[in-house]
């Protein structure tokens, strides 16, 4: 792991003392012999260090570090960096490089000789990461002819301190034995510019490069450990970003991860409060804030304690010796390029250069030296497998080709007369719809009908939330059927496909994957007399959208794509729905019919267009925005309101929505269930539901979180809502589904436990759903424009919004809290196709760079 933390000027003295008060072994707790003993070194060119009175071949002293952090030369006390305009000075930036826990565990139980070897490869990996920063990150600002320019530093000036133990957690304070943790604090103090002068560094760029820097360090550390004969297992941890050592029991790593657990808990609290993951600098601040005091206790034989724990977990002297087998590593780096190409566009069609490099280094851990990963990236760019775009973005040839083929196919069919409908047939379909609705279709809806049933082998219907797109689809489907066409529905999600079938009166509506598969094997026939309607097409990733577009083209079928790019985006690489709107016949529905209140209809449009401040002002003015101190209070207020409403207006449908964690969702559902049980609305017998903090009783409302296949019946789709009719013993329930028509199915929860109470739901599950009343807990880590728009547009009668000051960092400040919430809501995470960016020619590697890659940046 690599964290980055800015050290303010008023922290300089305390931080210098902290870094220079450890013993040679890095144990913070065993008092030394009165001398300051610590493993430390200076980083920088000999010339620059000499000019500052420093030397790379001797340790860092406290006075030297303090002087540099105060912006003064240790040599003569002259000022190196001026105080900022606000009267303050940044003392430095602490980049902390921590080895994976299994590496620290092996270090702790190894002999002094093997410990020294591990420490040496750790130091080489840190030095490699420093060289990578110098080579790739623009850290120095200069001004030429009045223009501010960014440059790479010639060399960083930094002090490194190697520690080998973590701070004591509360549980460890009783025993006085810390967890082993090999790590280096690299305090970046300044840089040498190209002209040889000393300069301050731009800390923002260090924060932005933290992921790539940490990934380089880990990849080089893994490579060096393999050279020692230690077996490395890559692709571990969160998002497969890390590596561990084969042979170190996972239970031992967990036992020695007390500080890591503390930091992760702090990070979870941060995500709950601010609605996102902590960035590099914030993670560094959390690490510092959770650090315990440097308490000096009676001398403890930490080495003996560590070896005893190692023996307890089966990592004694003999097992440790086997880990240093001397086997030469045989990494399979040939597959790395293919894995990277699949991985970098798995979630988005484009990736920044910074994240592209970071992912390459992460995947390289245990496979090759990170310099080889850099060389691989250059080769992929030269071969065209990686495509460089404007604005510093990249994509893959495969994604670019899929996008281009989809656009070319759709554009070529733009003027095609596919599935034409006679005017009289369309008029009769409109009249039938009006009789069913009891009201005429709006002018906008009639124009949309004309557009989607007119020219275009591929057409698009953009249906903003609550504008009646279902009515338009159903009317068009009726007209097509009258003309002799078969209308087939499809959607990425099975529950959406089923809802489309019921709303539009279709005979067949299946998932997009099933449609492509069944059409290929002949189970579903597509031809010129077929119309395919794809609902929620804005949620379709590029590969699925390309597959259905290609299928319709080859079978000469009409394809209607229905969706809204302002709602939740695809989970995989996407953005094509918005791109297609510019190339094919498109109709858009903008008049909201769902919301009863005019002010709320206006607020929906304001959220959609990024004017969240105005929208939230309307919710507050109409007493629909409720602000509490903590998220727990907000959740309880929401449950109270939901409970009152369901008792006062039982005929109304309603749902609670949250944009935070599964744990929070489960807690809200459990409390809602308790309210219903107290009111005597649920059966007394509970069927146990594995993995949930509640059982199920007769009368509960549930949602399936995976597809269920009843014996001899059609499957129930993921997202299906159902009522519990009865419980059978501890593990069985009978459900009645909300499908049209409903079904009764028996579920043995020992075999299928993917059920969850549905009083509260994640926003993602609610897209496409309509209720009378909605209660929205907002401000969590998923809060953005798309989630807010979907959450706020589900209800006909009213929507109440619940937020807290803790989430928004505004204690006692209602106006400030609303402004912070508006900022989160105005942030869009909509997908964007790579085709919306111009392709640019990547720079060719120089001969000097080629030679550097060939030698692997040996330091």
């Amino acid at each position: 792991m690599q964290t980055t933390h800015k050290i303010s000027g008023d922290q300089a003295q305390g931080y210098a003392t902290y870094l220079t008060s450890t013993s040679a072994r890095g144990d913070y707790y065993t008092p030394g012999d009165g001398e300051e003993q610590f493993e430390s070194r200076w980083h920088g060119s000999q010339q620059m260090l000499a000019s500052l009175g420093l030397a790379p071949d001797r340790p860092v002293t406290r006075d030297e570090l303090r002087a540099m952090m105060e912006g003064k030369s240790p040599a003569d006390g002259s000022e190196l960096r001026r105080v900022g305009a606000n009267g303050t000075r940044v003392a430095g930036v602490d980049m902390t490089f921590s080895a994976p826990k299994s590496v620290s565990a092996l270090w702790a139980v190894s002999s002094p000789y093997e410990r020294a070897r591990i420490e040496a490869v750790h130091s080489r990996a840190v030095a490699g990461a420093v060289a990578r920063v110098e080579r790739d990150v623009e850290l120095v600002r200069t001004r030429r002819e009045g223009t501010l320019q960014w440059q790479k530093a010639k060399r960083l000036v930094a002090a490194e301190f190697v520690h080998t133990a973590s701070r004591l957690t509360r549980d460890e304070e009783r025993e006085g034995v810390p967890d082993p943790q090999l790590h280096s604090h690299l305090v970046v103090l300044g840089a040498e510019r190209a002209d040889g002068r000393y300069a301050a560094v731009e800390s923002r760029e260090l924060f932005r490069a933290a992921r790539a820097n940490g990934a380089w360090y880990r990849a080089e550390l893994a490579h060096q450990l393999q050279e020692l004969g230690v077996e490395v297992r890559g692709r571990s941890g969160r998002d497969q970003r890390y590596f561990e050592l084969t042979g170190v029991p996972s239970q031992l790593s967990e036992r020695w991860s007390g500080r890591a657990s503390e930091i992760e808990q702090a990070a979870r609290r941060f995500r709950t409060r601010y609605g996102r993951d902590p960035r590099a600098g914030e993670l560094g601040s959390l690490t510092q804030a959770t650090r315990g005091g440097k308490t000096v206790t009676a001398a403890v034989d930490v080495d003996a304690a560590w070896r005893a724990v190692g023996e307890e977990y089966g990592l004694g002297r003999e097992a440790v010796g086997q880990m240093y087998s001397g086997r030469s590593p045989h990494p399979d780096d040939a597959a790395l390029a293919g894995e990277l190409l699949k991985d970098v566009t798995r979630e988005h069609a484009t990736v920044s250069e910074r994240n592209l490099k970071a992912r390459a280094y992460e995947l390289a851990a245990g496979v090759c030296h990170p310099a080889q990963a850099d060389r691989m990236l250059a080769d992929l760019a030269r071969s065209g497998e990686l495509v460089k775009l404007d604005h510093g973005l990249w994509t893959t040839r495969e994604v670019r080709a899929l996008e281009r083929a989809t656009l070319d196919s759709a554009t070529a069919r733009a003027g095609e007369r596919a599935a034409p409908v006679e005017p009289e047939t369309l008029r009769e379909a409109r009249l039938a719809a009006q009789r069913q609705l009891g009201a005429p279709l709006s002018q906008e809806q009639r124009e949309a009908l004309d557009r989607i049933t007119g020219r275009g082998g591929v057409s698009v219907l953009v249906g903003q939330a609550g504008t009646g797109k279902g009515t338009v689809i159903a009317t068009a489907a009726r007209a097509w059927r009258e003309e002799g066409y078969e209308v087939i529905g499809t959607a990425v999600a099975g529950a959406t496909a089923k809802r489309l079938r019921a709303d539009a009166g279709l005979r067949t509506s299946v998932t997009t994957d099933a449609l492509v598969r069944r059409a290929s094997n002949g189970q579903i026939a597509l031809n010129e007399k077929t119309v395919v309607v794809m609902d929620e097409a804005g949620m379709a990733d590029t590969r699925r959208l390309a597959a259905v577009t290609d299928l319709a083209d080859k079978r000469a079928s009409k394809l209607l794509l229905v969706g809204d790019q302002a709602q939740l985006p695809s989970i995989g690489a996407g953005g094509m729905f918005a791109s297609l709107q510019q190339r094919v016949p498109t109709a858009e529905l903008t008049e909201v019919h769902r919301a009863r209140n005019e002010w709320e209809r206006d607020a929906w449009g304001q959220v959609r267009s990024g004017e969240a401040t105005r929208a939230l002002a309307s919710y507050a003015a109409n007493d629909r925005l409720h602000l509490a101190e903590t998220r727990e209070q907000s959740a309880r207020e929401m449950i109270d309101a939901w409970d009152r409403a369901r008792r006062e207006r039982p005929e109304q449908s309603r749902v609670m929505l949250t944009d935070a964690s599964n744990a929070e969702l489960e807690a809200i559902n459990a409390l809602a269930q308790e309210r219903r049980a107290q009111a005597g609305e649920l059966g007394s017998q509970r069927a146990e539901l594995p993995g949930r903090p509640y059982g199920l009783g007769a009368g509960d409302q549930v949602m399936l979180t995976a597809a269920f296949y009843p014996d001899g019946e059609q499957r129930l789709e993921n997202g299906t809502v159902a009522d519990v009719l009865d419980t059978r013993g501890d593990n069985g329930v009978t459900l009645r589904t909300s499908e049209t028509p409903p079904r009764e199915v028996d579920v043995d929860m020992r075999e299928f436990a993917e059920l969850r109470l549905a009083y509260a739901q994640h926003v993602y599950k609610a897209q496409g759903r309509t209720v009378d009343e909605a209660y929205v807990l907002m401000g969590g880590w998923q809060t953005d424009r798309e989630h807010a728009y979907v959450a706020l547009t589900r209800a006909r009668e009213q929507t109440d919004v619940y937020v807290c000051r803790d989430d928004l960092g505004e204690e006692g400040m209602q106006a400030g809290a609303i402004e912070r919430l508006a900022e989160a809501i105005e942030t869009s995470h909509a997908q964007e196709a790579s085709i919306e960016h111009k392709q640019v020619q990547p720079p060719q590697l120089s001969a000097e760079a080629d030679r550097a890659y060939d030698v692997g940046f040996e330091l």
Side-chain angles (χ1 to χ4, degrees):
M1 190 170 76
Q2 197 262 295
T3 60
T4 306
H5 170 66
K6 186 184 293 186
I7 308 166
S8 61
D10 59 0
Q11 295 175 315
Q13 182 170 346
Y15 217 82
T17 301
Y18 158 67
L19 290 174
T20 56
S21 296
T22 63
S23 71
R25 287 266 56 82
D27 171 16
Y28 296 131
Y29 310 94
T30 303
D33 57 5
E35 297 293 326
E36 292 185 346
Q37 299 178 12
F38 44 85
E39 185 178 348
S40 62
R41 62 183 66 86
W42 287 104
H43 289 261
S45 71
Q46 290 193 1
Q47 182 179 359
M48 174 58 69
L49 293 177
S51 71
L52 297 171
L54 308 172
D57 56 352
R58 59 179 173 82
V60 181
T61 69
R62 184 176 302 173
D63 289 341
E64 290 172 341
L65 179 61
R66 185 183 298 123
M68 292 292 291
M69 294 176 78
E70 292 173 351
K72 300 176 182 178
S73 170
D76 55 18
S78 60
E79 187 176 63
L80 295 174
R81 293 183 288 115
R82 290 177 294 181
V83 175
N86 60 358
T88 64
R89 178 191 289 116
V90 175
V93 179
D94 181 352
M95 299 170 60
T96 303
F97 295 89
S98 296
K101 180 54 68 175
S102 59
V103 177
S104 295
L106 178 61
W107 174 90
V109 298
S110 292
S111 67
Y113 169 71
E114 296 297 355
R115 278 187 173 184
R117 296 177 72 195
I118 294 175
E119 291 168 16
V121 299
H122 163 76
S123 295
R124 284 201 292 272
V126 172
V130 172
R132 189 255 163 199
V133 172
E134 294 168 342
R135 188 171 57 252
D136 289 352
V137 184
E138 294 179 331
L139 293 175
V140 180
R141 292 185 298 178
T142 61
R143 189 175 295 276
R144 291 185 179 177
E145 299 179 355
T147 302
L148 192 64
Q149 297 181 346
W150 299 85
Q151 294 180 346
K152 296 173 184 176
K154 182 178 178 181
R155 293 291 300 272
L156 288 182
V157 177
E160 180 187 356
F161 300 85
V162 182
H163 296 163
T164 55
S166 66
R167 285 278 176 164
L168 288 176
T169 65
R170 289 189 179 94
D171 291 339
E172 294 164 345
E173 286 177 357
R174 294 188 300 270
E175 300 176 0
V177 179
D179 291 337
Q181 184 57 58
L182 177 62
H183 62 285
S184 282
H185 293 274
L186 186 85
V187 184
V188 179
L189 301 158
E192 181 181 356
R193 297 192 325 195
D195 60 8
R197 297 181 60 185
Y198 183 85
V201 299
E202 177 53 51
S203 59
R204 181 187 66 176
E205 293 304 306
L206 283 177
F207 290 124
R208 295 174 69 184
R211 178 184 172 188
N213 296 339
W216 178 287
Y217 158 77
R218 292 190 300 275
E220 184 161 357
L221 178 62
H223 179 78
Q224 299 285 355
L225 287 167
Q226 287 175 312
E227 292 295 320
L228 297 183
V230 179
E231 188 174 345
V232 170
R233 183 183 73 257
R235 319 291 203 276
S236 70
R238 185 182 177 187
D239 296 329
Q240 298 184 328
R241 291 186 178 186
Y242 305 94
F243 78 88
E244 297 294 347
L245 301 184
T246 302
V248 175
S250 59
Q251 297 88 343
L252 177 58
S253 293
E254 291 171 8
R255 163 77 177 268
W256 277 338
S257 296
R259 276 290 291 146
S261 297
E262 283 187 337
I263 295 168
E264 177 55 31
Q265 289 174 6
R268 283 198 296 270
R269 289 193 295 270
F270 184 99
R271 284 191 288 270
T272 298
R273 178 170 183 176
Y274 295 109
R276 57 177 172 79
D277 285 334
R279 301 187 180 99
E282 294 161 338
L283 184 58
S285 297
L286 292 177
T287 302
Q288 185 190 35
T290 58
R291 192 175 63 209
K294 188 183 287 187
T295 304
V296 177
T297 65
V300 175
D301 190 343
V302 175
D303 282 357
W306 283 341
R307 295 184 199 285
V309 173
E311 290 276 3
E312 179 184 345
Y313 285 86
L315 198 60
R317 181 178 302 177
E318 183 177 349
V320 170
Q322 292 175 354
M323 290 189 64
Y324 296 102
S325 63
R327 294 190 302 268
S328 298
H330 297 286
D332 180 17
D333 57 355
L336 181 60
E339 292 178 26
L340 178 69
L341 290 172
K342 290 180 181 179
D343 190 271
V344 294
T345 54
R346 187 180 67 244
E347 296 181 353
H348 299 277
T350 61
V351 61
S352 69
E353 184 165 323
R354 183 182 299 109
N355 285 339
L356 173 65
K357 289 186 174 183
R359 193 55 179 156
Y361 305 151
E362 288 165 357
L363 293 175
V367 177
C368 64
H369 191 282
Q372 291 174 256
D374 262 337
R375 180 61 178 268
M376 175 196 67
L377 290 175
D379 290 343
L380 290 173
R382 278 195 288 256
S383 69
E385 291 297 322
L386 279 175
V387 180
K388 187 171 185 179
L389 310 172
D390 56 12
H391 302 109
L393 299 174
W394 290 78
T395 190
T396 64
R397 179 196 56 77
E398 181 189 12
V399 167
R400 190 81 166 180
L402 277 175
E403 292 176 347
R404 173 53 61 195
T406 303
L407 289 182
D408 288 348
S409 171
T411 303
R413 303 187 68 197
E416 184 179 317
R417 187 69 172 156
V421 175
E422 294 297 326
E424 181 62 24
T425 304
L426 192 58
R427 189 181 76 86
E428 291 296 329
R430 285 200 305 267
L431 291 174
Q434 290 172 186
R435 288 192 295 269
Q436 186 174 354
L437 288 171
L441 273 64
S442 69
Q443 180 65 30
E444 183 182 61
Q445 289 173 327
R446 293 196 299 270
E447 291 175 356
L449 272 171
D450 291 339
R451 188 70 178 228
I452 65 177
T453 58
R455 288 192 178 274
V458 179
S459 300
V460 168
L461 174 61
V462 179
Q464 295 185 22
T467 56
K469 70 178 176 65
T471 298
V472 174
I473 297 170
T475 306
R478 183 192 299 268
W480 277 316
R481 286 195 299 269
E482 288 296 321
E483 292 283 357
Y485 297 98
E486 181 182 7
V487 184
I488 296 175
T490 188
V492 172
T496 303
K498 281 197 171 183
R499 186 167 55 242
L500 174 62
R501 181 177 65 185
D503 292 347
L506 305 182
R507 188 179 67 178
T508 302
S509 186
V510 297
T511 67
T512 303
D513 291 342
L515 174 65
V516 174
R517 183 177 66 254
R518 294 181 190 179
S520 299
N521 62 28
Q523 290 179 289
I524 292 180
L526 296 184
N527 51 49
E528 68 278 0
K529 296 295 291 183
T530 308
V531 177
V532 177
V533 179
M534 185 177 195
D535 199 8
E536 301 292 2
M539 299 180 72
D541 59 89
T542 297
R543 289 174 175 82
R544 286 190 174 95
L545 204 50
V548 76
T549 303
D550 182 62
L551 178 64
D553 186 9
K554 289 179 177 177
R555 305 295 175 88
S557 300
K558 168 88 172 185
L559 174 61
L560 174 62
L561 302 172
V562 184
D564 182 7
Q565 69 276 9
Q567 298 190 47
L568 295 177
S570 63
I571 294 177
M576 285 299 295
F577 181 74
S579 296
L580 282 164
Q581 294 171 38
Q582 312 303 317
R583 278 90 168 177
V584 302
T586 298
E588 184 169 7
L589 300 174
T590 61
E591 298 171 6
V592 177
H593 305 285
R594 179 182 298 161
R596 178 173 61 85
N597 298 307
E598 183 177 356
W599 70 263
E600 198 158 14
R601 294 195 292 268
D602 292 339
W604 291 4
Q606 289 158 0
V607 171
R608 190 178 193 276
S609 62
E611 301 174 89
T613 301
R614 294 177 59 195
L616 291 176
S618 294
Y619 279 95
N622 287 276
D623 197 28
R624 296 299 179 200
L625 180 61
H626 312 281
L627 192 63
E629 293 301 323
T630 68
R631 193 163 178 93
E632 291 77 12
Q633 290 174 346
S634 287
R636 287 191 174 273
E637 288 183 12
M638 179 180 71
I639 294 169
D640 289 342
W642 169 86
D643 191 33
R644 285 193 303 271
R646 70 179 190 81
R647 287 184 279 106
E648 294 171 1
R649 299 180 295 279
E651 74 282 359
Q652 301 275 48
S653 61
R654 58 189 53 83
V655 69
M656 292 181 283
L657 300 175
T658 175
D659 60 2
S661 66
N662 284 331
E664 177 181 82
L665 182 67
E666 299 290 32
I668 293 171
N669 270 319
L671 288 171
Q673 183 191 56
E674 183 181 341
R675 297 294 180 89
R676 293 202 63 205
Q678 290 171 350
E681 299 170 354
L682 302 179
S684 58
Q685 186 177 14
R686 288 287 187 273
E688 294 184 9
L689 186 56
R692 307 290 187 200
Y694 46 73
L696 299 181
D700 269 324
Q701 186 182 71
V702 297
M703 174 181 283
L704 276 68
T705 58
F708 175 59
Y709 297 83
D711 290 340
E713 298 183 42
Q714 188 181 22
R715 75 179 185 182
L716 294 181
E717 300 290 353
N718 182 358
T720 298
V721 176
D723 292 320
V724 179
L725 293 182
D726 191 19
T727 59
R728 304 184 312 281
D730 293 335
N731 301 106
V733 293
T734 300
L735 304 180
R736 180 174 58 207
T737 70
S738 59
E739 301 169 300
T740 304
R743 285 192 284 164
E744 292 187 11
V745 296
D746 292 332
V747 178
D748 185 338
M749 293 188 296
R750 291 169 299 185
E751 299 176 0
F752 181 84
E754 283 72 26
L755 295 172
R756 166 182 281 158
L757 288 173
Y759 305 118
Q761 300 174 18
H762 282 307
V763 174
Y764 192 88
K765 292 288 188 181
Q767 180 153 320
R769 185 174 180 185
T770 301
V771 295
D772 294 314
E773 301 170 352
Y775 304 84
V776 182
L777 182 57
M778 194 175 287
W781 64 274
Q782 289 183 330
T783 296
D784 60 18
R785 186 187 303 183
E786 290 75 29
H787 280 83
Y789 182 55
V790 170
L792 295 174
T793 56
R794 297 305 94 201
R796 304 180 188 92
E797 299 296 325
Q798 70 178 55
T799 300
D800 285 74
V801 181
Y802 296 84
V803 294
C804 71
R805 294 183 175 89
D806 272 0
D807 276 355
L808 303 167
E810 294 289 346
E811 296 181 5
M813 297 285 291
Q814 179 160 334
I818 294 175
E819 289 172 4
R820 289 285 295 272
L821 179 61
E823 290 175 8
I825 293 176
E826 289 172 0
T827 301
S828 174
H829 291 119
Q831 288 268 11
E832 185 179 35
S834 81
I835 208 72
E836 298 302 321
H837 293 272
K838 294 181 180 179
Q839 183 174 344
V840 298
Q841 187 65 30
Q844 295 297 312
L845 291 173
S846 66
E848 180 181 353
D850 267 329
R851 287 194 296 273
Y853 286 123
D854 288 337
V855 299
F857 297 115
E858 292 295 341
L859 299 168

